[in-house]
Amino acid sequence: MSTEIKILHSSCCGTKSPIKEQLTAIAEKNNLDISITELSDLQETMAFGTMTFPSLVIKGKVYDYKKINSEELLISIL
């Protein structure tokens, strides 16, 4: 079963960030099945109750990307 990941960006930063590339590389390296969606629309991102960007939504939980951006932490969450 694929793990759904949402990358939440502020509207000024747009999508196609290196975060998606990092997550894809980690998934491939560790044989993980993930699905990534990037959101930058303010209404969409506000639905997750955070104003901290970038953030990740993994398994329904919101994470501040700046606090979990190491490969080891991301693998433990995935």
Side-chain angles (χ1 to χ4, degrees):
M1 185 171 158
S2 181
T3 299
E4 185 178 330
I5 301 170
K6 291 182 177 30
I7 303 172
L8 309 179
H9 301 278
S10 60
S11 58
C12 67
C13 299
T15 58
K16 302 192 191 270
S17 71
I19 298 170
K20 183 175 182 177
E21 293 173 19
Q22 178 191 23
L23 291 168
T24 301
I26 289 170
E28 288 174 2
K29 182 178 174 183
N30 293 279
N31 201 27
L32 301 171
D33 185 18
I34 63 170
S35 164
I36 301 173
T37 305
E38 294 187 86
L39 304 173
S40 63
D41 179 76
L42 185 60
Q43 285 187 305
E44 290 178 322
T45 58
M46 290 292 292
F48 294 95
T50 184
M51 288 297 294
T52 303
F53 301 109
S55 290
L56 300 178
V57 181
I58 304 171
K59 301 175 187 170
K61 185 171 179 182
V62 179
Y63 297 90
D64 179 349
Y65 174 74
K66 290 174 249 163
K67 294 181 180 178
I68 62 159
N69 63 6
S70 73
E71 184 171 339
E72 295 80 21
L73 286 172
L74 287 167
I75 290 170
S76 72
I77 294 168
L78 295 172

